[in-house]
């Protein structure tokens, strides 16, 4: 059993390959086949694949330039997400024997990444987030970078038009980084005068987000995702004329979109109740054509110049695969495939804010009521879905029923559901988790004496908050990279997240201290009765280590049972064996607490 769950983590996986606009045979993808998630190049014409990066903590962000000549990647330290962009020639290796990676815009100091847009001839626009706010800088590799935008409020760089003259970015100059506005700038040639001038702004007002996606291939219309009808949907906007075209697909759920290379259609991803389907929307006729995709989740998709669409797909039972609408598998990793798992089933529970959707995965053996674990997703602006999750499968393999709740605050259920936690942060989400918890116990699914709550990031925060605010509900709790002391977390985390918190709470801890205290797990530490396991990254910029230490010190002062696992990385790990170690620590803790580990009694540490 142990080997099977570990095999799911160790099995080779590949992400959806991106491709260069002017050289479609040149692709970039991310893979774990080296044991760490790194960037790899793939020359489709020759079939050659090559690992590009090799860093102790892995590499997350990378992009191909339009010509397919260079790969840009973000270089941080120890997973702290604070660094600079590097670039190296396509098809080169990580050892530097073919020339070391360049720092293409060397006069830009380190920062948190705020988006990247690549143009022709080494031209780039780099977004930077620092304690001073957000800025965007344009330059050609090897030359100086000019500031084209700067503001104390957060934003991000979205895209360059194909001719390099227009830049789209999101901004929050109105003070709410959770509901952005869009600005298009016209970039000026180097020389005298301003580096950029505004073309147009698009803002839908308070509480409505706009997200720029991409300029029309070969044109100036900008694809934007809007929320005017209470859910995410596509809009085409010409920033020069101001003309807008809403796209009425007739589809339910929340949508994402991207252009096809010929700009004749949009590729539409439809998110509904934890599944993601794929469609083509013809812009000339308005015809919507669904693609024949198995039930599950399309996590990413791209349209190719030959008219095919490539997509990454998985389900709770079936490991990920990169397919094409031509019927073929596009890219396969080396080595054995991951063992399958069990399917997830849907549950709908009445909650105080409306119906709550949850996903339940049950072990194939064992009788009801099962030992159960509520695996709480992070974000909070994320959702649990029917995709393949090695950690969920590991819990099931060890005899646990797994329940995943898309509480208020989750995406995929409309903007009102996503924003319902504002002003009652953590408390709102716990109401929905509690409603599903009570259903799981009342229906006989979950054993109340062997019931755990587990989560990472925002999910870890909610796990700690639940243990303090609802101490009688849970046998034990596991919190990975959590917010544990909200006021200290706010002081130490990156500015982009401080801005996010101000939007959630309606101000900073100095402005609304009572709201932060009411939502902070450390406030309720004296009420925690269940054993706690905390996993924390030493270099975490999102849930910094000091505030975790504050919480642990408080538990120690109170004599509350707890265990700690610290690791040398940031907000999680891209190293496969480290992921396995962390999962093993969680499983061992849970099996001991629930009495399923030989020699342990329920509740024992």
């Amino acid at each position: 059993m142990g080997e099977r769950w570990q095999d799911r983590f160790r099995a080779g996986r590949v992400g959806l390959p991106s491709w260069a606009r002017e050289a479609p045979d040149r692709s970039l993808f991310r893979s774990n086949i080296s044991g760490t998630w790194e960037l790899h190049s793939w020359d489709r014409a020759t079939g050659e694949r090559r690992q590009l990066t090799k860093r102790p903590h892995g590499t997350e962000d990378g992009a191909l330039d339009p010509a397919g000549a260079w790969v840009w990647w973000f270089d941080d330290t120890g997973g702290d997400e604070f660094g600079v962009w590097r670039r190296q020639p396509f098809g080169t290796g990580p050892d530097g024997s073919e020339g070391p990676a360049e720092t293409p815009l060397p006069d830009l100091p380190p920062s948190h990444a705020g988006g990247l847009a690549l143009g022709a001839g080494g031209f780039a626009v780099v977004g930077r987030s620092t304690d001073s706010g957000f800025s965007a800088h344009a330059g050609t590799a090897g030359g100086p970078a000019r500031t084209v935008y700067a503001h104390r409020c957060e934003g991000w760089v979205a895209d360059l038009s194909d001719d390099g003259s227009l830049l789209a970015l999101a901004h929050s100059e109105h003070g709410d980084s959770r509901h952005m506005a869009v600005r298009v700038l016209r970039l000026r040639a180097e020389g005298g005068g301003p580096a950029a001038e505004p073309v147009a702004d698009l803002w839908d007002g308070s509480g409505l987000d706009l997200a720029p996606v991409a300029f029309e291939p070969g044109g100036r219309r900008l694809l934007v995702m809007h929320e005017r009808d209470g859910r995410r949907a596509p809009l085409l906007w010409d920033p020069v004329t101001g003309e807008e075209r809403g796209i009425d697909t007739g589809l339910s759920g929340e949508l994402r979109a991207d252009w096809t290379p010929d700009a004749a259609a949009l590729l539409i991803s439809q998110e509904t109740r934890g599944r993601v389907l794929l469609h083509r929307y013809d812009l000339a006729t308005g015809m919507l054509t669904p693609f024949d995709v198995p039930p599950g989740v399309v996590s990413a998709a791209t349209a190719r110049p030959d008219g095919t669409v490539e997509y990454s797909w998985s389900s709770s039972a079936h490991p990920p695969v990169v397919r094409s609408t031509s019927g073929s598998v596009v890219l396969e990793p080396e080595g054995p495939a991951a063992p399958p798992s069990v399917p997830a089933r849907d549950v709908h529970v009445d909650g105080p804010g409306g119906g709550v959707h949850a996903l339940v995965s049950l072990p194939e053996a064992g009788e009801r009521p099962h030992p159960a674990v509520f695996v709480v997703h992070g974000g909070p602006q994320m959702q649990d879905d029917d995709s393949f999750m090695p950690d969920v499968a590991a819990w099931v393999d060890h005899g646990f029923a797994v329940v995943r709740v898309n509480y208020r605050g989750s995406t995929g259920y409309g903007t009102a559901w996503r924003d319902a936690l504002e002003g009652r942060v953590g408390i709102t989400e716990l109401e929905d988790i509690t409603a599903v918890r009570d259903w799981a116990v009342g229906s006989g699914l979950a054993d109340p004496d062997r019931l755990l709550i587990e989560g990472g990031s925002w999910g870890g925060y909610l796990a700690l908050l639940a243990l303090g605010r609802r101490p009688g509900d849970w046998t034990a709790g596991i919190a990975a990279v959590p917010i544990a002391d909200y006021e200290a977390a706010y002081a130490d985390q990156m500015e982009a997240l401080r801005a996010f918190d101000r939007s959630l709470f309606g101000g900073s801890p100095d402005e609304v201290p009572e709201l932060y205290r009411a939502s902070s797990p450390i406030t309720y530490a004296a009420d925690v009765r269940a054993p706690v396991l905390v996993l924390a990254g030493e270099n975490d910029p999102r849930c910094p280590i000091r505030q975790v230490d504050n919480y642990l010190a408080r538990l120690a002062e109170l004599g509350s049972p707890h265990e700690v696992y610290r690791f040398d990385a940031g907000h999680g790990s891209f190293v496969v064996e480290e992921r396995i170690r962390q999962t093993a620590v969680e499983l061992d803790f849970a099996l001991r607490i629930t009495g399923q580990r030989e020699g342990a009694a329920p509740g024992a540490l």
Side-chain angles (χ1 to χ4, degrees):
M1 180 171 61
E3 287 299 323
R4 180 179 173 85
W5 74 261
Q6 293 176 19
D7 287 346
R8 294 195 188 93
F9 286 93
R10 292 192 177 108
R13 294 180 62 173
V14 293
L16 181 73
S18 61
W19 50 274
R21 185 177 76 225
E22 298 169 8
D25 281 341
R26 293 196 163 192
S27 288
L28 178 70
F29 66 94
R30 198 162 169 258
S31 177
N32 68 342
I33 58 174
S34 67
T36 303
W37 283 93
E38 297 287 0
L39 300 176
H40 298 248
S41 62
W42 176 30
D43 189 325
R44 297 177 186 235
T46 66
E48 182 183 9
R49 303 186 207 173
R50 192 159 186 198
Q51 183 175 329
L52 285 155
T53 56
K54 184 179 180 181
R55 304 168 65 240
H57 295 88
T59 308
E60 183 173 20
D61 294 329
L64 269 172
D65 73 352
W70 295 90
V71 175
W72 291 57
W73 49 270
F74 192 72
D75 185 14
D76 65 353
T77 302
D80 66 359
E81 302 179 44
F82 192 81
V84 298
W85 287 96
R86 313 284 189 198
R87 73 168 192 168
Q88 67 188 76
F90 180 89
T92 57
D95 60 5
S97 60
E98 297 153 292
E102 303 177 358
T103 306
L105 298 175
D107 56 341
L108 292 181
S111 70
H112 296 291
L116 174 72
L118 300 179
F123 183 73
V125 180
V126 171
R128 300 175 66 250
S129 178
T130 67
D131 286 346
S132 299
F134 168 76
S135 57
H137 310 265
T140 300
R146 299 180 299 155
T147 301
V148 296
Y149 176 89
H151 198 275
R152 61 178 179 81
C153 292
E154 283 300 309
W156 47 276
V157 167
D159 195 31
L160 274 171
S161 60
D162 284 358
D163 65 3
S165 66
L166 298 177
L167 170 67
L169 54 82
H171 72 83
S172 58
E173 293 178 8
H174 51 285
D176 180 1
S177 69
R178 295 180 68 244
H179 305 95
M180 292 278 193
V182 180
R183 179 167 299 163
V184 171
L185 302 173
R186 189 177 303 278
L187 302 182
R188 293 297 190 183
E190 295 184 18
E197 62 180 16
V199 175
D201 266 60
L202 191 64
W203 184 44
D204 280 351
S206 177
L208 294 174
D209 185 51
L210 289 169
V213 178
F215 283 104
E216 177 181 13
R220 70 186 185 206
R221 286 189 300 176
L222 183 66
L223 173 61
V224 178
M225 305 309 296
H226 72 88
E227 299 178 344
R228 297 171 181 177
D229 302 318
R231 65 189 186 110
R232 188 177 58 243
L235 168 76
L236 301 184
W237 175 50
D238 186 327
V240 175
T241 66
E243 180 183 359
E244 297 180 16
R245 177 184 172 183
I247 304 298
D248 183 8
T249 63
L251 294 170
S252 61
E254 294 204 303
L255 309 180
R256 299 187 186 276
D258 203 355
W259 296 96
T260 58
D262 59 4
L266 296 179
L267 190 61
I268 305 287
S269 297
Q270 177 194 13
E271 300 176 5
T272 176
R273 295 293 171 182
R275 278 80 185 176
V276 182
L277 303 174
L278 199 58
H279 308 263
R280 184 184 191 275
Y281 180 86
D282 187 277
L283 290 170
T285 66
M287 180 179 294
L288 186 73
T289 305
F291 290 105
D292 185 16
V293 174
V297 172
V298 175
S299 58
T302 183
R304 293 277 295 165
D306 63 3
T308 61
V309 172
E310 296 175 353
Y311 59 94
S312 181
W313 173 90
S314 72
S315 71
S316 295
H318 298 285
V321 61
V322 178
R323 298 184 184 275
S324 168
T325 52
S326 67
S328 63
V329 174
V330 174
L331 187 65
E332 290 186 287
E334 300 170 359
S341 186
V342 301
R345 66 183 181 95
D346 298 281
V347 171
H348 297 87
V349 176
D350 290 335
V356 183
H357 176 225
L359 296 167
V360 176
S361 302
L362 297 178
E364 294 176 336
E367 297 181 356
R368 293 162 63 106
H370 300 284
V373 56
F374 274 56
V375 175
V376 184
H377 74 72
Q381 293 183 184
M382 295 174 63
Q383 63 175 299
D384 278 314
D385 58 29
D386 188 25
S387 60
F388 191 78
M389 304 292 290
D391 57 335
V392 170
W395 285 108
V396 172
D397 280 0
H398 286 78
F400 288 86
V402 178
V403 183
R404 295 178 288 154
V405 182
N406 281 322
Y407 50 76
R408 279 172 289 170
S410 305
T411 56
Y413 301 84
T415 56
W417 188 264
R418 182 199 64 203
D419 292 346
L421 75 170
E422 292 179 0
R424 297 180 73 245
V425 178
I427 300 166
T428 300
E429 302 97 291
L430 286 190
E431 290 176 347
D432 293 342
I433 293 170
T434 298
V436 180
R437 181 258 177 216
D438 292 346
W439 163 84
V441 171
S443 67
L445 172 76
D447 183 347
D449 295 325
R450 297 182 295 169
L451 184 56
L452 286 77
I453 185 165
E454 186 269 359
S457 191
W458 197 266
Y461 157 65
L462 292 176
L464 294 182
L465 195 63
L467 294 175
R469 288 185 62 96
R470 305 281 305 184
D473 284 359
W474 307 99
T475 308
I478 301 172
V481 292
I483 297 171
D485 176 349
Y486 220 128
E487 291 181 76
Y490 180 92
D492 294 353
Q493 68 192 6
M494 61 177 75
E495 171 57 25
L497 289 181
R498 287 197 289 263
F500 183 88
D501 287 340
R502 291 192 294 272
S503 296
L504 273 182
F505 285 91
S508 70
D510 289 338
E511 294 166 321
V512 287
E514 69 287 352
L515 294 184
Y516 281 84
R517 282 194 293 270
S519 295
S520 183
I522 201 170
T523 301
Y524 310 98
D527 298 314
V528 174
R529 300 203 299 265
V532 185
L533 169 64
V534 176
L535 300 89
E538 297 284 358
N539 307 316
D540 192 341
R542 298 175 179 267
C543 299
I545 194 67
R546 180 175 72 94
Q547 54 92 31
V548 173
D549 286 340
N550 290 350
Y551 182 82
L552 295 172
R554 180 64 175 143
L555 290 184
E557 175 186 317
L558 293 163
S560 301
H562 64 280
E563 298 181 13
V564 186
Y565 178 89
R566 303 169 81 101
F567 57 94
D568 181 23
H571 197 61
S573 178
F574 298 133
V575 179
V576 171
E577 293 304 317
E578 176 58 32
R579 289 282 313 280
I580 291 173
R581 283 191 291 272
Q582 292 178 24
T583 304
V585 167
E586 293 194 17
L587 290 169
D588 177 72
F589 174 82
L591 292 170
R592 285 187 284 116
I593 292 299
T594 57
Q596 297 176 86
R597 183 74 80 200
E598 185 176 351
L605 274 173

